[in-house]
Amino acid sequence: MDSLSSWIWLIPALPFLAAIIIGIFGAKTLKENSHIPVIAGVAGSAILSLIVLFKVNGDNSSDTLTATIPGYDWITVGNLQSLISAAIDPLSAIMLAMVSVVATFVVIYSKGYMSGDPGFFRFFAYLGMFVASMLMLILSDNFLMLYVFWEAVGLCSYLLIGFYYNKPSAAAAAKKAFVVNRVGDFGFAIGILLIFLNFESINFQEVFAMVPKMAADDPGLMTTIALCLFLGAAGKSAQLPLYVWLPDAMEGPSPVSALIHAATMVTAGVYMTVRCGAIFTASPTAMAVVAVVGGLTAFFAATIAFAQTDIKRILAYSTVSQLGYMFLAVGVGSATAGMYHLYTHAFFKALLFLSAGSVMHAMHHHIDLKVLGGLRKDIPVTHIAFLIGSIALAGLPYTAGFFSKDAILLAALNHHSLSWVGWLAVITAAMTAFYTFRCYMMTFWGPRMVPSDAHDIHESKWMNFSLIFLAIGVFTVAYAGAGKYEGAYGGWFGHFLGQSASVQQYTALVHDDHAYSHGQVALISGVIAVLFVLFAVIMYAKGRGFAEKFTNNPLHTALLNKWYVDELYDFIIVRPLRWSGKFFVGSDNNIINGVIGIVKITPNAFGVAFQMFFQRGIVSSYALSMLLGLAIMVYYAMKSMQ
Amino acid sequence: MIDVTYYLLVGAILVVLGLIGFVTRRNLILMFLCTELIFQGVILTLVGFNRYWLIETDGRHGLEGQAFTVFLLVVAAAEAALAMALVMILQRQKHTLDSLAYAEMKG
């Protein structure tokens, strides 16, 4: 591990340096070349991350599996000791590799997507900053460092959602993301404070080592801590009831949606939940909450995705839904399945978003299915990429989504008390297959529709490059976790991840007595996926006329309006807050300022009195007061000399 | 041999007269002359002390007081030139030498 410690910090440092370079030279010197430092930096950290992955994989000695590489003694106050240290274990190695590899393709794509934009350099500076923060978040070995970079990725997300800041909807979406995340982060902060108060440490390994003793003493406390942490995870990973920011976050540029709001940042909540396995597994209540919230979110978001017509919004709701799957997996004790789905989802959802971005690029920033359709001949590469992403998301047999979703369904259906969530997840899988292909069919098949202001329909070669490589990636990563490896299901991925201490906390919970076997679950989900994909294909093959017959009912209207959740939140939270804000502004202006006014008048009155008596503009009066002052000074000087 | 006390006494009288004059008079020229009077009082005091130290210490002290006097005269002359110029300007502004006429300049 010594060899790692010398360069592990390069992984976050390279994108950070790139961001700094662009921050300094971007506006004046680099301009349209601003992508070069970021592509170089992110690609560099991708290569280093892969080396870390292979190193951790190749070396099975116990110190490799949980290595802590000290960096910098950041805060030491009393019991609080927060070091900037890197924790390297299979879990963080996998995440590092996933984030940096996906980020590499996204930044290459962004060169094509963003070229010509006046904020070109700004975009790449933010992107570099984001990648650096995300990698630091993954490397964290204590809660404070995790929290700091948790907020840093949130900040980058805010800046990038609001990238087109002169567009009111983008500015509002950025604000919404920030505020909703604040609710989650409040819980997260309380959780961390509770941990520090009770464990007197914020270091992961120290805290996790103490958890069994603490859980025996005070099980309620562990549940509270776990639920507080989960609130943070629900905010960042867009779970019920805090998912509302993610669909709006699609106002940001498409590469941002792909990288931050599909592949990396939104999975930070899942990563944190898995990382804190010791805490979550200590509380069966918290585990059940995680599983149920995950399952319900998966179902709920999938229903909304049915009726949406904005491609990116459909994908956003599907992201919320898939994140729900991950939490469901973690909640029923299969952290491996959750992480595996996170891993495959990162690739195929990034691919889908980048394809959607490519559609947008070709269609002159139109992404609404009402105005476009039948584009398969106009943008062939995008079409194939979107198709590959769709079959993976729909979970057609032997694709990435199939293997990972199967693992989750298997774990959920075999759970001793929550198998109903598992059946809900099966229904959700059917819905996923349908809405994914609804979106695909409407975009690429049926009669050709092109918005009137879209001229010069083309694909960019930078974008196609990324699409092709990500599509290959989607196929490749699928087999990392498929089948058996050394006699156990979960493939190489499951075997490798199972070596992480955090994941072992979860695997220890799962029993071997299966109600449903691998084969049965694979059959169920495979058949369902194929059936519903076919259903969608048949329904939309001849255009939209048939499907539109079903749109004229209250259910469709409710779905189209996202179950009116935004309106509900507006009514019960936003408006009361706004009223109370107005009330407090009024009381501040009238009452508090009045009190302050009295304080302000006092010195003024003194000044006026002084002016009236001494500052009259008469030279001799000035001379006299000077003389008196001099006399007093001389008097005291002489008195003190005696 | 005149005692040093008399020098100091005359000097102090000159200073106090100057101060009283400066405070009570309103004519700018007279106020200016009063400052000159204060100057002369100070100079006389310096000369008196110098003489006192020369005698008391049997010539072990030099003529610092006298030298100061010469410098002070030069400073007084320069100040007089400046002050007279200012008074001239003020007089041209308002055609009066009454200092109260300029009371509006208060801050």
Side-chain angles (χ1 to χ4, degrees):
Chain A
M1 263 305 123
D2 287 340
S3 60
L4 262 188
S5 61
S6 52
W7 52 264
I8 191 84
W9 296 109
L10 276 179
I11 295 176
L14 287 176
F16 183 72
L17 271 180
I20 297 281
I21 289 170
I22 298 171
I24 297 170
F25 300 111
K28 295 269 151 59
T29 322
L30 288 167
K31 288 177 189 156
E32 283 294 301
N33 293 321
S34 297
H35 61 287
I36 295 168
V38 168
I39 292 180
V42 176
S45 54
I47 291 164
L48 293 178
S49 305
L50 288 173
I51 295 175
V52 171
L53 183 65
F54 286 120
K55 246 182 146 60
V56 176
N57 185 35
D59 185 359
N60 285 335
S61 59
S62 60
D63 62 319
T64 318
L65 295 174
T66 48
T68 304
I69 295 160
Y72 166 65
D73 186 351
W74 182 37
I75 294 179
T76 306
V77 184
N79 290 330
L80 176 70
Q81 193 184 32
S82 185
L83 309 171
I84 300 288
S85 301
I88 298 294
D89 69 344
L91 182 60
S92 52
I94 285 272
M95 282 294 282
L96 281 182
M98 184 277 280
V99 168
S100 54
V101 168
V102 173
T104 308
F105 290 119
V106 171
V107 290
I108 292 170
Y109 175 94
S110 306
K111 157 66 183 134
Y113 188 82
M114 298 305 290
S115 58
D117 192 286
F120 190 76
F121 73 94
R122 194 162 54 90
F123 180 83
F124 279 94
Y126 292 161
L127 217 53
M129 200 58 115
F130 168 77
V131 175
S133 311
M134 189 67 207
L135 294 170
M136 284 298 274
L137 187 154
I138 294 163
L139 286 173
S140 306
D141 91 322
N142 61 63
F143 282 103
L144 196 59
M145 184 177 163
L146 181 71
Y147 189 72
V148 168
F149 289 101
W150 184 273
E151 294 299 323
V153 290
L155 170 70
C156 294
S157 155
Y158 166 79
L159 291 171
L160 284 164
I161 296 169
F163 182 75
Y164 302 118
Y165 53 83
N166 42 17
K167 205 167 122 195
S169 60
K175 199 163 70 180
K176 187 171 178 184
F178 207 79
V179 171
V180 173
N181 266 302
R182 208 83 352 260
V183 178
D185 293 348
F186 176 71
F188 192 33
I190 299 278
I192 293 174
L193 287 176
L194 278 175
I195 288 170
F196 178 61
L197 283 177
N198 291 290
F199 293 88
E200 298 195 337
S201 169
I202 50 169
N203 182 280
F204 283 155
Q205 287 185 23
E206 287 172 25
V207 171
F208 296 159
M210 276 189 275
V211 164
K213 189 177 156 294
M214 204 61 108
D217 292 348
D218 191 351
L221 175 72
M222 291 318 297
T223 307
T224 316
I225 291 177
L227 288 179
C228 284
L229 294 180
F230 180 61
L231 184 61
K236 186 103 339 201
S237 293
Q239 296 298 291
L240 282 173
L242 299 176
Y243 74 93
V244 286
W245 66 271
L246 188 58
D248 285 15
M250 298 303 128
E251 291 289 342
S254 297
V256 172
S257 309
L259 179 63
I260 303 184
H261 304 119
T264 59
M265 185 191 82
V266 289
T267 61
V270 182
Y271 171 73
M272 189 267 280
T273 314
V274 175
R275 171 62 79 198
C276 301
I279 295 173
F280 280 89
T281 51
S283 161
T285 322
M287 290 288 279
V289 169
V290 172
V292 170
V293 168
L296 288 180
T297 309
F299 178 74
F300 186 77
T303 59
I304 300 177
F306 260 99
Q308 299 301 310
T309 55
D310 181 319
I311 300 177
K312 280 179 74 182
R313 270 175 200 265
I314 297 173
L315 294 176
Y317 280 107
S318 123
T319 304
V320 174
S321 175
Q322 301 303 310
L323 289 166
Y325 268 110
M326 295 171 208
F327 277 109
L328 169 64
V330 174
V332 296
S334 182
T336 324
M339 287 303 295
Y340 181 39
H341 195 52
L342 187 161
Y343 191 60
T344 55
H345 173 258
F347 282 90
F348 64 67
K349 193 49 75 61
L351 177 65
L352 280 170
F353 268 117
L354 293 185
S355 311
S358 191
V359 172
M360 234 172 138
H361 187 75
M363 293 291 113
H364 198 262
H365 297 286
H366 285 283
I367 194 72
D368 201 319
L369 289 172
K370 280 181 223 144
V371 296
L372 54 86
L375 298 175
R376 68 186 180 282
K377 293 208 178 98
D378 296 297
I379 38 176
V381 177
T382 310
H383 168 228
I384 298 300
F386 200 96
L387 178 62
I388 290 170
S390 296
I391 58 173
L393 173 60
L396 285 177
Y398 297 100
T399 58
F402 174 75
F403 293 123
S404 54
K405 214 177 282 178
D406 245 18
I408 293 172
L409 294 178
L410 179 75
L413 288 172
N414 284 324
H415 192 264
H416 54 85
S417 56
L418 292 170
S419 53
W420 63 272
V421 189
W423 286 111
L424 194 64
V426 172
I427 298 169
T428 310
M431 291 159 69
T432 310
F434 181 81
Y435 72 67
T436 309
F437 270 82
R438 168 182 172 267
C439 177
Y440 163 74
M441 292 300 289
M442 282 173 86
T443 315
F444 294 103
W445 295 80
R448 184 172 180 272
M449 278 201 289
V450 172
S452 53
D453 55 347
H455 314 291
D456 179 30
I457 298 168
H458 67 284
E459 296 174 298
S460 148
K461 63 177 192 301
W462 290 86
M463 287 150 76
N464 282 350
F465 173 83
S466 283
L467 290 179
I468 291 163
F469 272 86
L470 268 177
I472 295 169
V474 169
F475 276 117
T476 326
V477 295
Y479 295 94
K484 286 190 174 185
Y485 183 85
E486 294 189 358
Y489 279 103
W492 167 83
F493 192 91
H495 172 76
F496 176 61
L497 206 60
Q499 293 166 320
S500 160
S502 301
V503 175
Q504 277 163 5
Q505 299 284 347
Y506 285 101
T507 41
L509 284 185
V510 182
H511 307 293
D512 278 337
D513 48 335
H514 286 334
Y516 302 92
S517 71
H518 264 275
Q520 283 169 319
V521 176
L523 190 67
I524 295 171
S525 71
V527 167
I528 279 180
V530 172
L531 274 182
F532 279 85
V533 165
L534 281 178
F535 182 36
V537 169
I538 291 165
M539 195 159 168
Y540 288 95
K542 296 270 175 221
R544 300 167 189 184
F546 180 61
E548 271 161 12
K549 285 178 195 157
F550 299 97
T551 54
N552 201 7
N553 60 52
L555 181 65
H556 182 268
T557 319
L559 291 177
L560 192 62
N561 290 300
K562 305 159 244 168
W563 290 115
Y564 298 102
V565 171
D566 279 334
E567 286 76 6
L568 180 73
Y569 281 4
D570 185 57
F571 183 71
I572 61 170
I573 298 170
V574 178
R575 279 192 211 171
L577 279 177
R578 194 167 288 153
W579 287 329
S580 66
K582 277 186 184 150
F583 170 75
F584 284 120
V585 166
S587 65
D588 188 52
N589 281 345
N590 300 321
I591 301 170
I592 305 212
N593 278 6
V595 176
I596 302 287
I598 296 170
V599 179
K600 194 185 80 178
I601 282 170
T602 319
N604 262 9
F606 270 109
V608 169
F610 194 80
Q611 198 177 15
M612 273 165 62
F613 287 108
F614 294 102
Q615 209 170 347
R616 288 177 298 176
I618 301 165
V619 182
S620 42
S621 125
Y622 292 155
L624 194 62
S625 35
M626 218 167 86
L627 202 62
L628 282 173
L630 194 67
I632 292 166
M633 268 158 61
V634 169
Y635 172 75
Y636 278 105
M638 289 181 69
K639 207 178 157 194
S640 65
M641 282 204 301
Q642 281 167 2
Chain B
M1 187 74 220
I2 302 164
D3 194 59
V4 72
T5 323
Y6 297 108
Y7 288 98
L8 296 184
L9 208 60
V10 175
I13 289 167
L14 281 175
V15 168
V16 171
L17 278 177
L19 284 172
I20 291 170
F22 189 79
V23 172
T24 53
R25 292 289 160 175
R26 277 162 55 186
N27 186 310
L28 284 174
I29 302 269
L30 281 180
M31 285 168 82
F32 166 62
L33 286 179
C34 288
T35 61
E36 289 300 312
L37 213 53
I38 298 170
F39 253 123
Q40 303 317 314
V42 173
I43 288 173
L44 195 59
T45 314
L46 275 172
V47 173
F49 272 124
N50 188 71
R51 196 179 151 75
Y52 167 75
W53 283 115
L54 268 180
I55 295 163
E56 287 294 304
T57 58
D58 299 329
R60 272 183 283 120
H61 276 77
L63 290 166
E64 290 96 333
Q66 305 277 6
F68 262 127
T69 308
V70 175
F71 278 109
L72 268 179
L73 286 172
V74 173
V75 171
E79 177 252 326
L82 208 62
M84 280 317 292
L86 283 172
V87 169
M88 288 278 287
I89 292 166
L90 288 172
Q91 200 274 338
R92 278 184 195 163
Q93 293 275 325
K94 298 216 168 181
H95 304 290
T96 171
L97 286 174
D98 188 348
S99 70
L100 284 181
Y102 301 96
E104 74 211 30
M105 288 173 76
K106 68 184 175 188

